[in-house]
Amino acid sequence: MAFFNRLSQSARNVAGTTVRVSTPIRHKASASAAAPKLVPDEYDGPLVKTQVPGPKTQELLQRMDNITRNTGTIQLFADYKASKGNFLVDVDGNRYLDCFNQISSVPLGYNHPALIQAVSSPDLATSMINRSALGVFPPGEYPGRMEEALLSIAPKGLECVQTMMCGSCSNENALKQTFLQYRTKARGGAMPTQEEYDSAMHNQLPGAPDLSILSFNGAFHGRTIGMLSLTHSKPIHKVDIPSLDWPASDFPALKYPLHQYEQENRVEEDRCLQMVRDKIAEYAAKGKPVAACIVEPVQAEGGDHHATPYFFIQLQKILKEAGAAFVVDEVQTGGGIAGTIWAHEQWNLPEAPDVVTFAKKLITGGYYYKPEFAPKLAYQVFNTWMGEPTKLIMLEAIVDTIKKDNLLEVVQNSGKIILSGLEELQAKYPQFLSRARGMGTFIAVDLSSPETAADIVTRGRKAGFILGTCGKQSLRLRPALIFQSQHAEMLLDELDHILSEL
Ligand code: PSZ
């Protein structure tokens, strides 16, 4: 089996810390020369000059902690002016190949020329200075921007779209629309009665109906009070917060490699589908019928759990039969990282999902929906900003760049290199690695323990790589769409080095 046969040596740099100079022999999937840089003046590689975290980060962390007393999550302070392409620079001048991208929310890397140009337009300044309440006084350009930026990439079969601020509030409002549609349908299309208006004011039936939303164990849909009832990835998100009595089904736990476990995986998916049916029946019997089901194409925060297209096709069928809406949360999977703009495109569903939500790489939050899910009355789905017009100016430039630079192909190619590289590393270090899996560059691999996963992230950081984790002990990769074969090689080479030293 061909491994990377990397040759690496240690050298001491001026600051006295170790930087490795490595001469990898290229992985067979990309034996050709490095592709021309998509961001022309991007750095050639990582560079770590100080201890990590460096002295400036440590000083700022202290100051920040005096201000918020809530800095337990801060990893480093960045120098965004100096960051470029796939490389994040910190305030200490250290440069990292960013394989995690602000929790998967950076589409084109740092300071992409197309975005610099887009934000330099007078339109953007006008839009920023005069931020409008989009629900009441939208700018004249807004419908055009929504057509260009959002409808141009709409999932097939979904013709309406609403912008919102973040992923959680997109999910909240999308699910509100499914409740509205459910109740309107139950009334045979009639508007709410006076009794319903009056009882709703006191959180009572029939105006405040006992409906439920089905989610999956291991899911993450946000941290607002409503979404937390659908989030089941880590107890720290939920503890001490009251929650709604809503059903959750198991999500398939697939075995890898998929081709070896087709039968077992089918049994596992059928078990979860049966649980969906059972939960729907249980909650109907309880008087809390399921109005909608929300599902991630890949359970991300929960540990990068995938399911096959079969699972989602069957799930859609079950929901349709039950009269419950099928809501796909593409907040983390959407925007191209799956190798297609929407991960669910790869399922080949017989018809579109009822609702698809997004945020992160799409820059704005929001959701697509079928016309029958549109609210029937004004002010049922509403808030002050209803999104952010400047974000659509940026999104237009992002969508143009994805098309112009064929970034979906770049993602597919880099994804293949990373995944096959991880599979080789898995064969080389079976004591540490298992279950390499991914869609495009949305990739993860399991480590032998949570401690090993954390150790790899720390070692990676010290060598100039930003990596993520998810679930209990998975290493999670979320590169930008401009992550090319040469970046994939740098990453694989470093992982090989780290694993050889464990
Ligand atoms: O710890 C956190 O709050 C995190 S870490 C990653 C996320 C949240 N992801 C956000 C997310 C998501 O991955 C999916 C599938 N759905 C909804 C959300 C919520 O989006 P935001 O954070 O924009 O509210």
Side-chain angles (χ1 to χ4, degrees):
M1 186 146 327
F3 293 122
F4 307 106
N5 302 323
R6 61 186 311 291
L7 306 165
S8 76
Q9 60 190 87
S10 289
R12 296 241 141 214
N13 76 353
V14 270
T17 51
T18 302
V19 234
R20 274 178 315 95
V21 179
S22 67
T23 322
I25 289 180
R26 288 198 180 280
H27 180 251
K28 63 180 181 216
S30 66
S32 55
K37 289 180 182 175
L38 282 166
V39 179
D41 51 350
E42 188 185 49
Y43 301 104
D44 289 327
L47 176 70
V48 178
K49 302 185 200 173
T50 72
Q51 280 184 336
V52 177
K56 284 194 185 148
T57 278
Q58 289 188 35
E59 186 198 317
L60 289 166
L61 194 58
Q62 188 56 56
R63 272 173 64 191
M64 189 77 159
D65 201 58
N66 290 340
I67 300 166
T68 66
R69 307 284 202 282
N70 184 20
T71 52
T73 54
I74 294 182
Q75 301 185 15
L76 54 79
F77 283 84
D79 178 349
Y80 287 108
K81 271 194 193 144
S83 302
K84 190 90 198 163
N86 292 285
F87 293 91
L88 178 75
V89 176
D90 74 11
V91 286
D92 292 284
N94 302 311
R95 197 159 76 212
Y96 308 89
L97 179 66
D98 195 347
C99 306
F100 196 51
N101 283 282
Q102 317 289 329
I103 327 178
S104 198
S105 67
V106 179
L108 302 182
Y110 299 102
N111 290 305
H112 192 283
L115 285 176
I116 292 175
Q117 200 190 346
V119 303
S120 310
S121 78
D123 269 10
L124 190 119
T126 306
S127 183
M128 272 193 102
I129 296 164
N130 308 289
R131 180 167 190 182
S132 57
L134 285 169
V136 272
F137 300 112
E141 306 82 35
Y142 208 57
R145 295 237 155 85
M146 289 183 86
E147 284 160 5
E148 284 296 314
L150 286 169
L151 289 185
S152 70
I153 53 164
K156 201 166 142 248
L158 295 184
E159 47 189 287
C160 302
V161 64
Q162 174 64 59
T163 53
M164 282 288 162
M165 295 300 300
C166 65
S168 303
C169 89
S170 301
N171 283 341
E172 288 272 352
N173 285 285
L175 291 170
K176 272 177 64 179
Q177 289 194 194
T178 68
F179 287 135
L180 296 174
Q181 188 263 359
Y182 190 93
R183 287 298 302 146
T184 306
K185 201 172 55 176
R187 283 190 298 262
M191 291 300 124
T193 61
Q194 192 57 47
E195 189 199 1
E196 284 173 323
Y197 279 119
D198 293 343
S199 53
M201 287 301 285
H202 305 286
N203 303 346
Q204 300 294 319
L205 292 167
D210 252 342
L211 297 175
S212 61
I213 307 277
L214 176 81
S215 59
F216 288 90
N217 293 318
F220 186 99
H221 298 294
R223 288 171 177 264
T224 52
I225 292 178
M227 288 309 96
L228 269 184
S229 293
L230 303 169
T231 286
H232 312 277
S233 49
K234 291 196 185 114
I236 190 69
H237 301 151
K238 292 169 76 76
V239 70
D240 291 343
I241 316 282
S243 69
L244 294 154
D245 171 22
W246 284 354
S249 170
D250 285 351
F251 191 80
L254 299 187
K255 285 193 178 160
Y256 290 83
L258 292 179
H259 62 87
Q260 226 174 65
Y261 292 101
E262 261 172 38
Q263 268 197 323
E264 277 108 317
N265 287 338
R266 177 58 65 91
V267 170
E268 168 65 357
E269 292 196 322
D270 283 337
R271 180 186 71 81
C272 296
L273 290 165
Q274 188 51 46
M275 195 162 172
V276 167
R277 288 188 199 93
D278 294 346
K279 289 285 170 191
I280 291 174
E282 180 190 331
Y283 273 69
K286 251 190 184 194
K288 294 183 182 217
V290 171
C293 165
I294 185 165
V295 67
E296 295 157 90
V298 180
Q299 282 193 335
E301 299 308 305
D304 272 28
H305 302 141
H306 293 246
T308 70
Y310 164 83
F311 175 77
F312 293 103
I313 291 169
Q314 295 306 311
L315 177 63
Q316 182 180 45
K317 208 168 133 202
I318 294 169
L319 296 171
K320 203 171 171 170
E321 280 162 18
F326 181 31
V327 180
V328 180
D329 177 347
E330 291 246 26
V331 167
Q332 195 153 157
T333 46
I337 188 168
T340 43
I341 293 284
W342 305 106
H344 81 262
E345 285 173 52
Q346 297 177 38
W347 305 336
N348 287 318
L349 294 170
E351 66 167 293
D354 297 308
V355 184
V356 173
T357 66
F358 56 85
K360 292 201 188 260
K361 281 193 165 53
L362 274 292
I363 302 286
T364 173
Y367 48 95
Y368 295 94
Y369 51 100
K370 293 178 176 162
E372 59 264 37
F373 285 86
K376 299 289 175 288
L377 298 166
Y379 291 104
Q380 282 188 301
V381 169
F382 185 77
N383 57 48
T384 308
W385 283 325
M386 300 289 278
E388 148 71 290
T390 55
K391 296 295 194 294
L392 288 201
I393 298 177
M394 291 169 69
L395 183 58
E396 248 183 81
I398 292 163
V399 170
D400 277 356
T401 306
I402 291 176
K403 289 180 188 157
K404 185 170 68 61
D405 290 348
N406 290 321
L407 294 185
L408 295 179
E409 265 174 48
V410 173
V411 169
Q412 288 160 17
N413 183 44
S414 299
K416 274 186 205 138
I417 294 169
I418 300 171
L419 198 56
S420 64
L422 285 178
E423 278 161 0
E424 288 183 32
L425 286 173
Q426 201 169 269
K428 187 172 173 185
Y429 304 100
Q431 70 279 34
F432 296 126
L433 293 183
S434 63
R435 303 181 73 239
R437 56 204 183 271
M439 263 178 128
T441 52
F442 196 106
I443 290 174
V445 63
D446 282 5
L447 274 305
S448 44
S449 68
E451 294 72 31
T452 316
D455 188 23
I456 289 183
V457 172
T458 306
R459 285 170 189 255
R461 184 69 49 88
K462 289 185 174 155
F465 290 79
I466 296 181
L467 308 166
T469 56
C470 59
K472 229 171 87 193
Q473 55 199 57
S474 303
L475 186 71
R476 165 164 60 155
L477 304 174
R478 295 290 185 269
L481 308 178
I482 53 159
F483 198 85
Q484 295 175 272
S485 53
Q486 59 269 35
H487 306 110
E489 296 293 348
M490 281 176 215
L491 167 67
L492 291 168
D493 187 46
E494 183 56 39
L495 287 176
D496 190 11
H497 176 79
I498 292 173
L499 290 160
S500 73
E501 291 199 332
L502 282 184

